[in-house]
Amino acid sequence: MERSLNKMKNNNINSTRSNMMKDNELFHVIHKVPCGDTPYVKAKHAQLIEKNPEMAIVWFWKAINTGDRVDSALKDMAVVMKQLDRSEEAIEAIKSFRPRCSKNSQDSLDNVLIDLYKKCGRMEEQVELLKRKLKQIYQGEAFNGKPTKTARSHGKKFQVTVQQEISRLLGNLGWAYMQQAKYLSAEAVYRKAQIVEPDANKSCNLAMCLIKQGRFEEGRLVLDDVLESRVSGSDDCKTRQRAVELLSELEASLPRGRDAEMEDFLGNMLDDDFVLGFEERTATSLKPKRLPIFEQISSFRNQLVC
């Protein structure tokens, strides 16, 4: 009888411990906090549970300095810094400590840097990084010769194709050119992105480039594709609303002449280092104009299609 009671008692204790362990595991899964008591774990706890970003940064620094999950600590710290409007500090941190990170983490650090450059308005550096990443894809360095790679966003993993990555990078590059008022460069990049993977949001950006150049009929045709759902993503409410607003802006603008002086002015906006001899004749019979484009990427895409 006594043995039976002791056995039942032990079973209850083991059951309680098991339930506590399950609850603990469930807590970490729900809040996406790793287990343990290391500086990185404490940083994530401060960031996600305590909602104390300043303390999280302190612990992230300790994790980096002690070699505790440096890849994740550096990237996560930069994200938190960006949220606190400390983007310049985050950029310097990545540049200083990325040599300590593994080769596999460099791509994700580049993506964080792209966002930070955009946040700080450091367009020249953003453009150079985007161009470098596009060249890496062409040279087969980014995907290791594979058609897809694993990416992570908000704690979830997903597969990204070569076409999707090229289109994303070209979209970012086009936007950076627009911020520099290099509308011809932006136009060429957006057109290439639409060839790789058509997208309604990029169509709106392309239309904006055309409107900025006074090429209203071409801009209208691009917006019509969105409003008539001929482009992927046209059913997104925000994108459609943006297309409607751009169309209103276009219709409210007065036609402008494209004389030789304007041609020279727009031509000077091109990013000469990015021009590789591509010529495009527009629907309005404009003179052929050299546009900045990655001919290598075009060839690479053709290989993929074949």
Side-chain angles (χ1 to χ4, degrees):
M1 183 67 177
E2 186 176 348
R3 287 183 177 180
S4 297
L5 290 173
N6 288 335
K7 186 176 181 180
M8 290 177 61
K9 185 177 180 180
N10 290 333
N11 287 339
N12 289 335
I13 292 173
N14 291 334
S15 177
T16 301
R17 287 177 178 172
S18 178
N19 290 334
M20 290 177 63
M21 290 177 64
K22 289 180 180 179
D23 290 342
N24 189 45
E25 290 175 1
L26 185 61
F27 173 85
H28 289 289
V29 170
I30 292 174
H31 295 284
K32 299 177 182 178
V33 178
C35 300
D37 192 38
T38 65
Y40 179 75
V41 172
K42 290 180 179 179
K44 295 301 290 184
H45 193 278
Q47 177 192 2
L48 301 175
I49 307 301
E50 299 173 7
K51 307 296 182 182
N52 188 341
E54 295 288 354
M55 182 55 66
I57 290 174
V58 172
W59 283 110
F60 280 133
W61 273 124
K62 290 183 179 181
I64 293 168
N65 290 326
T66 59
D68 178 25
R69 299 180 66 167
V70 178
D71 295 4
S72 298
L74 182 57
K75 185 180 71 172
D76 291 348
M77 183 179 72
V79 172
V80 174
M81 285 180 170
K82 179 187 174 186
Q83 293 169 350
L84 295 177
D85 291 326
R86 294 166 59 179
S87 296
E88 294 284 356
E89 186 180 347
I91 290 171
E92 295 309 313
I94 290 178
K95 287 184 174 181
S96 298
F97 291 93
R98 70 182 307 168
R100 297 190 185 185
C101 299
S102 66
K103 183 179 179 180
N104 292 335
S105 69
Q106 299 302 317
D107 185 58
S108 61
L109 288 173
D110 280 342
N111 290 332
V112 174
L113 266 180
I114 288 171
D115 288 339
L116 291 170
Y117 286 145
K118 183 177 181 180
K119 175 83 170 178
C120 297
R122 294 166 64 166
M123 293 302 146
E124 290 293 340
E125 290 165 286
Q126 185 185 13
V127 165
E128 289 306 312
L129 179 54
L130 288 166
K131 286 158 66 173
R132 178 167 61 81
K133 289 179 71 64
L134 283 164
K135 288 179 181 178
Q136 286 176 344
I137 293 177
Y138 166 68
Q139 294 167 355
E141 298 174 6
F143 282 71
N144 296 317
K146 299 178 181 179
T148 64
K149 70 175 182 178
T150 301
R152 182 188 294 272
S153 178
H154 302 293
K156 295 182 180 180
K157 291 183 179 180
F158 57 95
Q159 293 296 307
V160 176
T161 67
V162 174
Q163 293 97 323
Q164 288 172 333
E165 183 69 356
I166 290 174
S167 181
R168 182 185 73 86
L169 293 172
L170 286 173
N172 283 327
L173 182 58
W175 183 256
Y177 279 139
M178 286 181 68
Q179 305 316 299
Q180 297 175 311
K182 295 179 179 178
Y183 299 117
L184 280 174
S185 297
E187 175 197 345
V189 170
Y190 278 127
R191 288 192 185 280
K192 178 58 65 175
Q194 293 297 73
I195 292 173
V196 175
E197 189 175 56
D199 174 291
N201 184 56
K202 295 185 184 70
S203 290
C204 288
N205 289 339
L206 173 58
M208 185 185 296
C209 291
L210 295 169
I211 292 171
K212 292 292 186 181
Q213 297 176 59
R215 292 157 62 185
F216 300 116
E217 283 306 312
E218 292 175 79
R220 185 190 298 276
L221 290 174
V222 173
L223 292 173
D224 284 346
D225 286 341
V226 177
L227 296 174
E228 294 179 17
S229 300
R230 291 195 288 261
V231 187
S232 176
S234 297
D235 56 344
D236 180 74
C237 294
K238 291 184 178 180
T239 302
R240 292 186 70 83
Q241 180 60 35
R242 186 174 175 224
V244 170
E245 292 172 356
L246 284 171
L247 189 59
S248 298
E249 178 184 334
L250 183 154
E251 291 174 346
S253 302
L254 294 175
R256 293 180 297 191
R258 292 291 301 273
D259 55 19
E261 183 179 352
M262 179 61 77
E263 288 286 330
D264 291 340
F265 172 72
L266 290 173
N268 289 334
M269 291 182 178
L270 285 171
D271 181 358
D272 293 334
D273 292 336
F274 202 44
V275 174
L276 296 178
F278 180 80
E279 290 188 351
E280 175 170 308
R281 188 180 299 275
T282 67
T284 54
S285 299
L286 297 177
K287 295 179 181 179
K289 188 171 288 288
R290 297 197 316 155
L291 297 179
I293 212 69
F294 267 106
E295 291 297 342
Q296 299 100 320
I297 291 178
S298 179
S299 302
F300 183 63
R301 176 183 174 277
N302 291 337
Q303 294 174 11
L304 289 174
V305 173
C306 296

